[in-house]
Amino acid sequence: MNNINKTSVDEFVTHILNNNISYLSRAITLIESNNSKHQEKATQILEKCLSHASNSIRIGITGVPGVGKSTFIESFGKYLTSIGKKVAVLAIDPSSSIQKGSILGDKTRMSTLALDDNAFIRPSPSGNSLGGVARKTREAITLCEAAGFDIIIIETVGVGQSETTVHSMVDFFLLLKLANAGDELQGIKRGIIEMADTIAINKADGNAEKEAKIAKSEFSRALHLYPKKENNWIPKVLTCSALNNVGIDSIYTIIKEYIALTKENGSFLKKRSEQNKNWLFETINNELKNQFYKNSKVQNLLNLQLKRIENKEINPFQAAKEILKIKR
Amino acid sequence: MNNINKTSVDEFVTHILNNNISYLSRAITLIESNNSKHQEKATQILEKCLSHASNSIRIGITGVPGVGKSTFIESFGKYLTSIGKKVAVLAIDPSSSIQKGSILGDKTRMSTLALDDNAFIRPSPSGNSLGGVARKTREAITLCEAAGFDIIIIETVGVGQSETTVHSMVDFFLLLKLANAGDELQGIKRGIIEMADTIAINKADGNAEKEAKIAKSEFSRALHLYPKKENNWIPKVLTCSALNNVGIDSIYTIIKEYIALTKENGSFLKKRSEQNKNWLFETINNELKNQFYKNSKVQNLLNLQLKRIENKEINPFQAAKEILKIKR
């Protein structure tokens, strides 16, 4: 395998279209790079891959730390490959803005799925910019689809702003919960429950099975308090044990029902179309910022103004105004 | 009082600096307007007011619906005016992205405080753009400070993304909680608890008083699990009853302690300086978008490309690229 800089755009594209995972992986690295040469190459690869996007299903999976996401995705992913699907897992880790943490620290995550020839797992640490992650994840989805993956799983931690972003990229949104989830520190915000197309109460095994069933009926009742979804889908609640591979196939059955319903009533394509429109705006807005801040005059004046703000010599509003005057 | 369009910038500024609340209110309306003439005028008013910003304390208050925010702010606000403070309350209502709701629907909110000569209450429905709200709220704070308000309260619902934004504008962040807050649907996300400088368990009255005290010790224990704050402040937990005006003065005592500590160790000014730097970037980024999208060529091609995306004739990435080619 050649160096990332020496491999040509066409080589990348050919190998990605042939489902070569190491080229796919390196192309995503190019997409995530802040190096402008890498970005240029990534853009060219992306453009050539766009017309090869498959008929994939995009599934968002979220849940607080401790809910068993890795075990779940491993079990779910293995099930999917066992029925002949090709599965890509993209993990977004926005961390918390104050307390830095990572869901990606453990290298042994999903180790069995990682060895599966029909699976591809890609963690993406996010840094600070959630918008940036969103854009890059969307591009990574496109590359995975060009590489022939049928099921794209996007994993996120259910504690931040990332869920809204992920929701705006997927067809189906699955929320993983624990039965004894009353603990305030593990709270899931209301908006995430509203977004869920299905809630799976995980770790329904051993002594926790009874509790999980109670939680299931509580959640089913709670979901009735929400207004009906526009696409006519009635969110499902079920229990599962990723550890014992129980209930995993039921989740895929539900997803198939969901896709069938939304494809039939047109909401599947409508949602994809809305998502594409959002992607248009995000791409433009990101590019406007990129073009502006890479200007060296802007960079110099910006550094000066940041110092002046620190010294209380200027207010941010006037500082911005001066920087915006720069001819571009 | 003259028409908003006929009143000159200087008239606005003079009256705002004289604490004329009706002019202040109309200036905020100009700031929130999408009309470009209004925006231009608002900018000029803002610029002239910036140098008159007071030594205010900015307090963020958040809590889920039902926690008693209105009653709390009314009680807290009345206490502050009774000790000679001038209090401005800015309410941000980001709603949830799916289920539209409003904390502002009830016009009788804070009716006693609203009649207080030393208080100013301003609700701001947000629409879709949270970033926009943030910018406008920051500008509204500046106008309120120029009008001589010492305490600026920024109220937000504890269910969305708005807390991070509000946290980036205030000196002190207060989280209101209920004792029996195990209900998942009322969940507060972890990040919000991390941000809190103080947690007040509200509605600690009648039968709920005992429960509130238990919740207080549980939260105090829970907060110990978080890493120490950079500014050396140890977050406080207390109980209060806004209904009976119990514990309200203690909260102000805590805020004074916090301000004294952070002013002494330099973190107060450091935080304000960081916030101002963020404001610089937000102002620039908003203006880049404004300038781009108001271009009529951009608008025309944008509308065309949105239709093409809908008809699946183009992918969003290529559509964006074509729009970005427009000479500006």
Side-chain angles (χ1 to χ4, degrees), chain B residues 166-230:
Chain B
V166 170
H167 186 249
S168 75
M169 297 191 250
V170 298
D171 305 313
F172 183 93
F173 198 69
L174 176 67
L175 172 61
L176 295 182
K177 289 286 311 164
L178 289 180
N180 54 343
D183 181 0
E184 191 66 11
L185 287 177
Q186 291 206 349
I188 281 277
K189 63 179 184 174
R190 182 186 165 96
I192 295 180
I193 293 177
E194 286 179 43
M195 281 183 224
D197 296 307
T198 286
I199 297 177
I201 320 280
N202 193 24
K203 299 193 181 174
D205 37 44
N207 296 330
E209 206 176 333
K210 202 181 147 193
E211 272 185 350
K213 281 184 180 154
I214 297 170
K216 180 191 159 179
S217 52
E218 281 173 359
F219 266 104
S220 303
R221 269 200 305 277
L223 283 178
H224 281 287
L225 301 174
Y226 291 100
K228 202 174 177 181
K229 298 207 175 202
E230 242 182 84

Coordinates of all heavy atoms in Angstrom, one line a residue, chain B residues 166-230:
Chain B
V166 N -25.9 29.8 26.3 CA -26.1 30.8 27.4 C -24.9 30.8 28.4 O -24.4 31.8 28.8 CB -27.4 30.4 28.2 CG1 -27.5 31.3 29.5 CG2 -28.6 30.7 27.3
H167 N -24.4 29.6 28.6 CA -23.2 29.5 29.5 C -22.1 30.3 29.0 O -21.3 30.9 29.7 CB -22.8 28.0 29.6 CG -21.7 27.7 30.5 ND1 -20.4 27.4 30.2 CD2 -21.6 27.8 31.9 CE1 -19.7 27.2 31.2 NE2 -20.4 27.5 32.3
S168 N -22.0 30.4 27.6 CA -20.9 31.2 27.0 C -21.2 32.7 27.1 O -20.4 33.5 26.5 CB -20.7 30.8 25.6 OG -21.8 31.3 24.8
M169 N -22.3 33.1 27.7 CA -22.6 34.6 27.8 C -22.6 35.1 29.2 O -22.8 36.3 29.4 CB -23.9 34.8 27.2 CG -24.0 34.5 25.7 SD -25.6 35.2 25.1 CE -26.5 33.7 24.8
V170 N -22.7 34.2 30.2 CA -22.9 34.6 31.6 C -21.7 34.4 32.5 O -20.8 33.7 32.2 CB -24.2 33.9 32.2 CG1 -25.4 34.2 31.4 CG2 -23.9 32.4 32.3
D171 N -21.8 35.1 33.6 CA -20.7 35.0 34.6 C -21.0 33.8 35.6 O -20.1 33.2 36.1 CB -20.7 36.3 35.5 CG -20.5 37.5 34.6 OD1 -19.6 37.5 33.7 OD2 -21.2 38.5 34.8
F172 N -22.3 33.6 35.8 CA -22.7 32.6 36.8 C -23.9 31.8 36.3 O -24.8 32.4 35.7 CB -23.2 33.4 38.1 CG -23.6 32.5 39.3 CD1 -22.6 32.1 40.2 CD2 -24.9 32.1 39.4 CE1 -23.0 31.3 41.3 CE2 -25.3 31.2 40.5 CZ -24.3 30.9 41.4
F173 N -23.9 30.5 36.5 CA -24.9 29.7 35.9 C -25.7 28.9 37.0 O -25.1 28.1 37.7 CB -24.2 28.7 34.9 CG -25.2 28.1 33.9 CD1 -25.7 28.8 32.9 CD2 -25.5 26.7 34.0 CE1 -26.6 28.3 32.0 CE2 -26.3 26.1 33.0 CZ -26.9 26.9 32.0
L174 N -27.0 29.2 37.1 CA -27.8 28.5 38.1 C -28.7 27.5 37.5 O -29.4 27.8 36.6 CB -28.6 29.6 38.8 CG -29.6 29.2 39.9 CD1 -28.9 28.6 41.1 CD2 -30.5 30.3 40.3
L175 N -28.7 26.3 38.1 CA -29.6 25.3 37.6 C -30.7 25.0 38.6 O -30.4 24.8 39.8 CB -28.8 24.0 37.4 CG -29.6 22.7 37.1 CD1 -30.4 22.8 35.8 CD2 -28.7 21.5 37.0
L176 N -31.9 25.2 38.2 CA -33.1 24.9 39.1 C -33.5 23.4 38.9 O -33.6 22.9 37.8 CB -34.3 25.8 38.7 CG -34.1 27.3 39.0 CD1 -35.3 28.0 38.7 CD2 -33.7 27.5 40.4
K177 N -33.8 22.7 40.0 CA -34.1 21.3 39.9 C -35.4 21.1 40.8 O -35.7 21.9 41.7 CB -33.0 20.5 40.5 CG -31.8 20.4 39.6 CD -32.0 19.5 38.4 CE -32.6 18.2 38.8 NZ -33.1 17.5 37.7
L178 N -36.0 20.0 40.6 CA -37.0 19.5 41.5 C -36.5 18.3 42.3 O -35.6 17.6 41.8 CB -38.3 19.1 40.7 CG -39.1 20.2 40.1 CD1 -40.3 19.6 39.4 CD2 -39.5 21.2 41.1
A179 N -37.1 18.1 43.5 CA -36.6 17.0 44.3 C -36.8 15.6 43.6 O -35.9 14.8 43.5 CB -37.3 17.0 45.7
N180 N -38.0 15.4 43.2 CA -38.4 14.1 42.6 C -38.1 14.1 41.1 O -39.0 14.0 40.3 CB -39.8 13.8 42.9 CG -40.8 14.9 42.4 OD1 -40.3 16.0 42.2 ND2 -42.0 14.6 42.2
A181 N -36.8 14.3 40.7 CA -36.5 14.5 39.3 C -36.0 13.3 38.6 O -35.3 13.3 37.6 CB -35.5 15.6 39.2
G182 N -36.4 12.1 39.1 CA -36.0 10.9 38.5 C -36.7 10.6 37.2 O -36.2 9.9 36.3
D183 N -37.8 11.3 36.9 CA -38.5 11.1 35.7 C -37.7 11.4 34.5 O -37.2 12.5 34.2 CB -39.8 12.1 35.7 CG -40.6 11.9 34.5 OD1 -40.3 11.1 33.6 OD2 -41.6 12.6 34.4
E184 N -37.5 10.4 33.7 CA -36.6 10.4 32.5 C -37.0 11.5 31.5 O -36.2 12.2 31.0 CB -36.7 9.1 31.8 CG -35.6 8.9 30.7 CD -34.3 8.8 31.4 OE1 -34.1 8.8 32.6 OE2 -33.3 8.9 30.6
L185 N -38.3 11.8 31.4 CA -38.8 12.8 30.5 C -38.4 14.2 30.9 O -38.4 15.1 30.1 CB -40.3 12.7 30.3 CG -40.8 11.5 29.5 CD1 -42.3 11.5 29.4 CD2 -40.2 11.5 28.1
Q186 N -38.0 14.3 32.2 CA -37.6 15.6 32.6 C -36.1 15.7 32.8 O -35.6 16.6 33.4 CB -38.3 15.9 34.0 CG -39.7 16.1 33.9 CD -40.2 17.0 35.1 OE1 -39.5 17.3 36.0 NE2 -41.5 17.5 35.0
G187 N -35.5 14.7 32.2 CA -34.0 14.6 32.3 C -33.2 15.8 31.9 O -33.5 16.5 31.0
I188 N -32.2 16.1 32.7 CA -31.3 17.2 32.4 C -30.0 16.5 31.9 O -29.6 15.6 32.5 CB -31.0 18.0 33.7 CG1 -32.1 19.0 34.1 CG2 -29.7 18.7 33.6 CD1 -32.0 20.3 33.3
K189 N -29.4 17.0 30.9 CA -28.3 16.3 30.4 C -27.1 16.6 31.3 O -27.0 17.7 31.9 CB -28.0 16.6 28.9 CG -27.7 18.1 28.6 CD -27.4 18.2 27.2 CE -27.0 19.7 26.9 NZ -26.6 19.9 25.5
R190 N -26.2 15.7 31.3 CA -25.0 15.7 32.2 C -24.2 17.0 32.0 O -23.8 17.6 33.0 CB -24.1 14.5 31.8 CG -22.9 14.3 32.6 CD -22.1 13.2 31.9 NE -20.7 13.2 32.4 CZ -20.3 12.5 33.4 NH1 -21.1 11.7 34.0 NH2 -19.0 12.5 33.9
G191 N -24.1 17.4 30.8 CA -23.3 18.6 30.5 C -23.8 19.8 31.2 O -23.1 20.7 31.6
I192 N -25.1 19.9 31.4 CA -25.7 21.1 32.1 C -25.4 21.1 33.6 O -25.1 22.1 34.1 CB -27.3 21.1 31.9 CG1 -27.6 21.3 30.4 CG2 -27.9 22.2 32.7 CD1 -29.0 21.3 30.1
I193 N -25.3 19.9 34.2 CA -25.0 19.8 35.6 C -23.5 20.2 35.7 O -23.1 20.9 36.7 CB -25.2 18.4 36.1 CG1 -26.7 18.1 36.1 CG2 -24.6 18.2 37.5 CD1 -27.1 16.7 36.5
E194 N -22.7 19.8 34.8 CA -21.3 20.2 34.8 C -21.1 21.7 34.8 O -20.2 22.3 35.3 CB -20.5 19.6 33.6 CG -20.2 18.1 33.8 CD -19.5 17.6 32.5 OE1 -18.6 18.2 32.1 OE2 -19.9 16.5 32.1
M195 N -22.0 22.4 34.0 CA -21.9 23.8 33.9 C -22.3 24.6 35.1 O -22.0 25.7 35.3 CB -22.8 24.3 32.7 CG -22.2 24.0 31.3 SD -23.4 24.7 30.2 CE -23.5 23.4 29.0
A196 N -23.2 24.0 35.9 CA -23.8 24.7 37.0 C -22.8 25.2 38.0 O -22.0 24.4 38.5 CB -24.9 23.8 37.6
D197 N -22.9 26.5 38.4 CA -22.1 27.0 39.5 C -22.9 26.8 40.8 O -22.3 26.7 41.9 CB -21.9 28.5 39.2 CG -21.0 28.7 38.0 OD1 -19.9 28.0 37.9 OD2 -21.4 29.4 37.1
T198 N -24.2 26.7 40.7 CA -25.0 26.4 41.9 C -26.3 25.6 41.4 O -26.8 25.9 40.3 CB -25.4 27.6 42.6 OG1 -24.3 28.1 43.3 CG2 -26.5 27.4 43.6
I199 N -26.7 24.6 42.2 CA -28.0 23.9 41.9 C -28.9 24.3 43.0 O -28.6 24.1 44.2 CB -27.8 22.4 41.8 CG1 -26.8 22.0 40.7 CG2 -29.1 21.7 41.7 CD1 -26.5 20.6 40.6
A200 N -30.1 24.8 42.6 CA -31.1 25.1 43.7 C -32.3 24.2 43.5 O -32.8 24.1 42.4 CB -31.6 26.6 43.5
I201 N -32.6 23.4 44.5 CA -33.7 22.5 44.5 C -35.0 23.3 44.8 O -35.1 23.7 46.0 CB -33.6 21.3 45.5 CG1 -32.2 20.8 45.5 CG2 -34.6 20.2 45.2 CD1 -31.8 19.9 44.5
N202 N -35.8 23.6 43.9 CA -36.9 24.5 44.1 C -38.1 23.7 44.6 O -38.1 22.5 44.6 CB -37.2 25.3 42.8 CG -38.2 26.4 43.0 OD1 -38.3 27.0 44.1 ND2 -38.9 26.8 41.9
K203 N -39.1 24.5 44.9 CA -40.4 23.9 45.4 C -40.1 23.1 46.7 O -40.8 22.0 47.0 CB -41.1 23.0 44.4 CG -41.5 23.8 43.1 CD -42.4 23.1 42.2 CE -42.8 23.9 41.0 NZ -43.6 23.2 40.0
A204 N -39.2 23.5 47.5 CA -38.9 22.9 48.8 C -39.9 23.5 49.8 O -39.5 24.3 50.7 CB -37.5 23.1 49.2
D205 N -41.1 23.1 49.6 CA -42.2 23.7 50.5 C -43.2 22.6 50.8 O -43.3 21.6 50.0 CB -42.8 24.9 50.0 CG -43.0 24.9 48.4 OD1 -43.4 23.8 47.9 OD2 -42.7 25.9 47.8
G206 N -44.0 22.7 51.8 CA -45.0 21.7 52.2 C -44.4 20.3 52.3 O -43.4 20.2 52.9
N207 N -45.1 19.4 51.7 CA -44.7 18.0 51.9 C -43.4 17.7 51.2 O -42.7 16.7 51.4 CB -45.8 17.1 51.3 CG -47.1 17.2 52.1 OD1 -47.1 17.4 53.3 ND2 -48.2 17.0 51.4
A208 N -43.0 18.6 50.2 CA -41.8 18.3 49.4 C -40.5 18.7 50.1 O -39.4 18.4 49.6 CB -42.0 19.0 48.0
E209 N -40.6 19.4 51.2 CA -39.4 19.9 51.9 C -38.4 18.8 52.2 O -37.2 19.0 52.0 CB -39.8 20.7 53.1 CG -38.8 21.8 53.4 CD -39.2 22.7 54.6 OE1 -40.4 22.8 54.9 OE2 -38.3 23.2 55.3
K210 N -39.0 17.7 52.8 CA -38.1 16.6 53.2 C -37.4 16.0 52.0 O -36.2 15.8 52.0 CB -38.9 15.6 54.0 CG -38.1 14.7 54.9 CD -39.0 13.6 55.5 CE -38.2 12.4 55.8 NZ -39.1 11.2 56.1
E211 N -38.2 15.8 51.0 CA -37.6 15.2 49.7 C -36.5 16.1 49.1 O -35.5 15.7 48.6 CB -38.7 15.1 48.7 CG -39.5 13.8 48.7 CD -40.4 13.7 47.5 OE1 -40.7 14.7 46.9 OE2 -41.0 12.6 47.3
A212 N -36.8 17.4 49.2 CA -35.8 18.4 48.7 C -34.5 18.3 49.4 O -33.4 18.4 48.8 CB -36.4 19.8 48.8
K213 N -34.6 18.1 50.7 CA -33.3 18.0 51.5 C -32.6 16.8 51.2 O -31.3 16.8 51.1 CB -33.7 18.1 53.0 CG -33.9 19.5 53.4 CD -34.2 19.7 54.9 CE -34.4 21.2 55.2 NZ -35.2 21.4 56.5
I214 N -33.3 15.7 50.9 CA -32.6 14.5 50.5 C -31.9 14.7 49.2 O -30.8 14.4 49.0 CB -33.6 13.3 50.4 CG1 -34.2 13.0 51.8 CG2 -33.0 12.0 49.8 CD1 -35.4 12.0 51.8
A215 N -32.7 15.3 48.2 CA -32.1 15.6 46.9 C -30.9 16.5 47.0 O -29.9 16.3 46.3 CB -33.2 16.3 46.0
K216 N -30.9 17.4 47.9 CA -29.8 18.3 48.1 C -28.6 17.5 48.5 O -27.5 17.7 47.9 CB -30.1 19.3 49.2 CG -29.0 20.3 49.5 CD -29.2 21.1 50.8 CE -27.9 21.6 51.3 NZ -28.0 22.4 52.5
S217 N -28.7 16.6 49.4 CA -27.5 15.8 49.8 C -27.0 14.9 48.7 O -25.8 14.7 48.4 CB -27.6 15.1 51.1 OG -28.8 14.3 51.1
E218 N -28.0 14.3 47.9 CA -27.7 13.5 46.8 C -26.9 14.3 45.7 O -25.9 13.8 45.2 CB -28.9 12.9 46.1 CG -29.4 11.7 46.9 CD -30.8 11.2 46.4 OE1 -31.3 11.8 45.4 OE2 -31.3 10.2 47.0
F219 N -27.4 15.5 45.4 CA -26.7 16.3 44.4 C -25.3 16.7 44.9 O -24.4 16.8 44.1 CB -27.5 17.5 44.0 CG -28.4 17.2 42.9 CD1 -29.7 17.0 43.0 CD2 -27.8 17.1 41.6 CE1 -30.5 16.7 41.9 CE2 -28.6 16.9 40.5 CZ -29.9 16.6 40.6
S220 N -25.2 17.0 46.2 CA -23.9 17.5 46.7 C -22.9 16.3 46.5 O -21.8 16.5 46.1 CB -24.0 17.8 48.2 OG -25.0 18.8 48.4
R221 N -23.4 15.1 46.8 CA -22.5 13.9 46.6 C -22.1 13.8 45.1 O -21.0 13.6 44.8 CB -23.2 12.7 47.1 CG -22.9 12.3 48.5 CD -23.2 10.9 48.8 NE -24.5 10.4 48.5 CZ -25.6 10.6 49.3 NH1 -25.5 11.2 50.4 NH2 -26.8 10.2 48.9
A222 N -23.1 13.9 44.3 CA -22.9 13.7 42.8 C -21.9 14.7 42.3 O -21.1 14.4 41.5 CB -24.2 13.8 42.1
L223 N -22.0 15.9 42.8 CA -21.1 17.0 42.2 C -19.7 16.7 42.5 O -18.8 17.1 41.8 CB -21.5 18.4 42.8 CG -22.7 19.0 42.1 CD1 -23.0 20.3 42.8 CD2 -22.5 19.2 40.6
H224 N -19.4 15.9 43.6 CA -18.1 15.6 44.0 C -17.4 14.7 42.9 O -16.2 14.5 42.9 CB -18.0 14.9 45.3 CG -18.1 15.9 46.4 ND1 -17.0 16.7 46.8 CD2 -19.1 16.2 47.3 CE1 -17.4 17.5 47.8 NE2 -18.7 17.2 48.1
L225 N -18.3 14.0 42.1 CA -17.7 13.1 41.1 C -17.1 13.9 39.9 O -16.4 13.4 39.1 CB -18.9 12.2 40.5 CG -19.5 11.3 41.6 CD1 -20.7 10.6 41.0 CD2 -18.5 10.4 42.2
Y226 N -17.5 15.2 39.8 CA -17.0 16.0 38.7 C -15.6 16.6 39.1 O -15.3 16.8 40.2 CB -17.9 17.1 38.4 CG -19.2 16.6 37.8 CD1 -20.4 16.5 38.5 CD2 -19.3 16.3 36.4 CE1 -21.5 16.1 38.0 CE2 -20.4 15.8 35.8 CZ -21.6 15.7 36.6 OH -22.7 15.3 36.1
P227 N -14.8 16.8 38.1 CA -13.5 17.4 38.4 C -13.6 18.8 38.9 O -14.7 19.5 38.6 CB -12.7 17.4 37.0 CG -13.8 17.2 36.0 CD -14.9 16.5 36.6
K228 N -12.7 19.3 39.6 CA -12.7 20.7 40.2 C -12.8 21.7 39.0 O -12.1 21.5 38.0 CB -11.5 20.9 41.0 CG -11.6 22.0 42.0 CD -10.4 22.0 43.0 CE -10.5 23.2 43.9 NZ -9.4 23.3 44.8
K229 N -13.5 22.8 39.2 CA -13.5 23.8 38.2 C -12.2 24.6 38.2 O -11.6 24.8 39.2 CB -14.7 24.8 38.5 CG -16.1 24.1 38.4 CD -17.2 25.0 38.0 CE -18.5 24.3 37.9 NZ -19.4 24.9 37.0
E230 N -11.9 25.1 37.0 CA -10.7 25.8 36.8 C -10.6 27.1 37.7 O -9.5 27.5 38.1 CB -10.6 26.2 35.3 CG -9.4 25.7 34.6 CD -9.4 26.2 33.2 OE1 -8.9 27.3 32.9 OE2 -9.9 25.5 32.3

